[in-house]
Amino acid sequence: MQPITNHMPTAELQALDAAHHMHPFTDEAALARKGARIITRGRGVRLWDSEGNEILDGMAGLWCVNIGYGRDELAEVAARQMRELPFYNTFFQTTHVPAIALAAKIAELAPGNLNHVFFAGSGSEANDTNLRMVRHYWALKGKPEKTVFIARKNAYHGSSMGSASLGGMQAMHAQGGLPLPDIHHIDQPHWYLEGGDHSPEEFGRARARQLEEAILAIGEDRVAAFIAEPVQGAGGVIIPPDSYWPEIQRICDKHEILLIADEVICGFGRTGTWFGSQTYGIRPHIMTIAKGLSSGYQPIGGSVVCDEVAEVLSHGEFYHGYTYSGHPVAAAVALENLRILEEEGIVGHVRDVAAPHLADAWGSLADHPLVGEAVSTGLMASLALTPDKARRARFAAAPGTAGYICRERSFANNLIMRHVADRMVIAPPLVITPEDIDLLVARARTALDEAHVILREEDLLKAAA
Ligand code: PXG
């Protein structure tokens, strides 16, 4: 077989991809008819495809390339580590310098007494760790009946059996026999779609109180933990009302349950602080981390655990671990990524420069006839598409029809913007400049204009009853 390289014609690469590569979350037959877009190179906030298009990456890869593409320092650290020690495990009373150094650095950056790290290869693995670790923790405390996890509808916590069960995506639960037992889902704090006539503050409090209602209904002696993303990312960048997290925190403090903040998207600067928990005043017992930990340059994740939980777990063996827990190359690359985030003041850049600029520029899209709301927190933002702004109406067409059209127009204008049903979302690399934010928003507006024309022509601007 010929070597397969960037220099092959796009159509040939697409044919091979369709023949042999099974994609995540993809209708393969539909993709094969169209041909996958082939990304060949990245630099800063830009990507290039096999047709030579220069694309603004409004999604930081998949919510992860926080420092931007093309940082040689990470490549050099990886090469150096591969030459010195490409792999060794951290089982059997053994360790190595990259794992030690990264765990210590995460403990330094993490708030409160979150001082211990259990490494995984991804966010899904880390949430599976949390599920087993928390149940084991309660068993060690003499309360083995505390097994129930409370999570939220429309949450995303990963794709493995455990993490997808914690997630609240109905379509995922419908495939493969999920959720696992003893996982309970409450409603999300999604004021725009579900708030009706309530003020956002009233609604946020009411949604938080569902946690207390669930704890009381299930029994405090049965509930192990509540898990949530500070801001739901994959669910559509759903920013909770200000009243939500203080009430959740009060409920967790009052009842004897652990609070797990899934920081896979919000962590490492995305919301303008190191962790979303700091932005939203959350005091978790455990944080899930991945993505921005290495800016996606290497697959690595983990659970950051507080002193009290770690102390209980330290007595006796926890029969759990992944071959690649604390992988030396991934750990060394993550450490270099954290050095860059810290020394270049990238989190401060988000807080003081990029996030305020995005809030203004993105917020200006609210005047577009298709846009029901345009919101952002730090460098994650979303738009609700609507056929009727005044009523916050949904489309009569199947959910996602309008969102898909808008995403296609965005791609055609060389902006990667995602859709989650009929919500458009962005989360660009944290190093984005105000000028590139303006370019991003200008392209998003063009995509909205073009989508609006198509929706009108295809008679899709009707509101659901
Ligand atoms: N928690 C959260 C909050 C996530 O966003 C995971 C856990 C799982 O991480 P891994 O590394 O196992 O993928 C995620 C991942 C999307 C999309 O369509 C989002 C994610 C992954 C894939 C697609 O927005 N988030």
Side-chain angles (χ1 to χ4, degrees):
M1 189 161 117
Q2 292 280 316
I4 296 172
T5 71
N6 271 350
H7 302 291
M8 280 173 72
T10 299
E12 276 180 45
L13 290 168
Q14 286 171 328
L16 283 166
D17 186 73
H20 304 296
H21 179 196
M22 299 170 81
H23 293 248
F25 284 91
T26 295
D27 177 333
E28 300 285 357
L31 177 63
R33 284 193 294 277
K34 186 175 165 191
R37 179 170 207 169
I38 299 164
I39 302 297
T40 53
R41 204 156 59 79
R43 227 353 105 193
V45 299
R46 288 178 165 70
L47 295 165
W48 283 265
D49 69 14
S50 55
E51 296 292 279
N53 293 304
E54 181 182 313
I55 306 156
L56 191 58
D57 184 8
M59 280 307 299
L62 201 50
W63 319 82
C64 56
V65 187
N66 288 10
I67 63 168
Y69 298 95
R71 293 294 302 244
D72 285 341
E73 299 93 322
L74 274 65
E76 269 145 32
V77 162
R80 208 182 312 137
Q81 187 60 46
M82 281 193 198
R83 290 197 183 97
E84 195 168 295
L85 182 70
F87 176 75
Y88 201 73
N89 72 70
T90 51
F91 293 49
F92 320 128
Q93 303 186 329
T94 306
T95 190
H96 47 65
V97 170
I100 299 169
L102 182 61
K105 186 70 203 174
I106 292 168
E108 180 194 317
L109 293 172
N113 61 359
L114 293 161
N115 289 319
H116 313 266
V117 187
F118 196 110
F119 286 114
S122 66
S124 300
E125 286 181 7
N127 278 325
D128 274 21
T129 298
N130 293 338
L131 198 49
R132 293 194 63 213
M133 185 163 67
V134 165
R135 286 176 174 170
H136 180 51
Y137 162 83
W138 286 117
L140 287 172
K141 298 253 295 180
K143 298 186 175 179
E145 65 289 352
K146 276 174 90 71
T147 54
V148 176
F149 272 63
I150 301 176
R152 304 186 299 184
K153 294 176 187 161
N154 198 35
Y156 189 80
H157 297 299
S159 270
S160 58
M161 291 297 281
S163 62
S165 294
L166 291 172
M169 303 285 181
Q170 268 173 7
M172 291 177 75
H173 290 175
Q175 298 175 334
L178 299 182
L180 297 175
D182 281 357
I183 296 177
H184 180 88
H185 294 89
I186 59 174
D187 288 322
Q188 55 179 335
H190 193 340
W191 176 80
Y192 179 85
L193 272 192
E194 300 176 0
D197 295 333
H198 297 281
S199 73
E201 295 318 297
E202 274 168 12
F203 176 74
R205 255 188 309 277
R207 282 289 152 104
R209 286 193 185 143
Q210 282 195 6
L211 174 60
E212 192 152 45
E213 288 155 20
I215 294 169
L216 296 175
I218 296 162
E220 189 175 317
D221 55 340
R222 292 272 292 118
V223 179
F226 174 63
I227 181 168
E229 307 151 77
V231 177
Q232 284 158 272
V237 183
I238 313 302
I239 303 169
D242 289 342
S243 55
Y244 183 74
W245 275 111
E247 187 64 6
I248 291 282
Q249 184 68 56
R250 182 192 68 73
I251 293 163
C252 291
D253 290 346
K254 179 169 162 201
H255 301 279
E256 199 193 10
I257 66 167
L258 298 186
L259 175 53
I260 305 171
D262 185 336
E263 295 270 4
V264 168
I265 284 177
C266 293
F268 305 101
R270 177 60 58 195
T271 67
T273 56
W274 277 94
F275 296 96
S277 291
Q278 294 161 315
T279 301
Y280 289 90
I282 308 164
R283 295 187 307 280
H285 297 92
I286 297 173
M287 295 193 310
T288 318
I289 56 173
K291 294 193 189 272
L293 169 59
S294 66
S295 282
Y297 280 60
Q298 284 282 293
I300 183 166
S303 305
V304 192
V305 179
C306 71
D307 291 339
E308 201 255 318
V309 172
E311 206 288 318
V312 171
L313 290 165
S314 69
H315 303 284
E317 186 170 338
F318 176 33
Y319 303 114
H320 182 82
Y322 308 107
T323 301
Y324 299 134
S325 286
H327 189 286
V329 178
V333 167
L335 195 61
E336 181 66 2
N337 170 62
L338 298 183
R339 184 192 68 73
I340 288 174
L341 279 172
E342 195 168 35
E343 288 183 12
E344 297 185 5
I346 292 170
V347 181
H349 165 77
V350 175
R351 184 188 60 232
D352 300 333
V353 180
H357 196 88
L358 181 71
D360 283 351
W362 188 260
S364 75
L365 295 172
D367 69 7
H368 193 279
L370 259 190
V371 174
E373 71 166 356
V375 294
S376 68
T377 178
L379 279 184
M380 56 203 291
S382 56
L383 298 173
L385 302 183
T386 177
D388 180 352
K389 291 163 83 88
R391 288 200 298 123
R392 311 205 306 265
R394 300 173 197 242
F395 291 90
T401 306
Y404 179 80
I405 290 169
C406 189
R407 187 191 78 176
E408 291 303 286
R409 294 327 302 154
S410 180
F411 283 6
N413 284 284
N414 291 328
L415 168 66
I416 296 188
M417 173 163 71
R418 283 267 324 278
H419 79 109
V420 177
D422 293 318
R423 246 183 130 78
M424 307 310 298
V425 306
I426 56 145
L430 305 187
V431 294
I432 194 168
T433 60
E435 294 72 39
D436 279 335
I437 289 173
D438 290 343
L439 183 64
L440 185 160
V441 173
R443 287 183 184 174
R445 186 176 283 279
T446 305
L448 286 164
D449 288 343
E450 293 178 7
H452 198 203
V453 170
I454 294 169
L455 290 167
R456 195 182 310 113
E457 283 172 1
E458 297 187 3
D459 201 20
L460 289 169
L461 281 175
K462 290 202 220 70

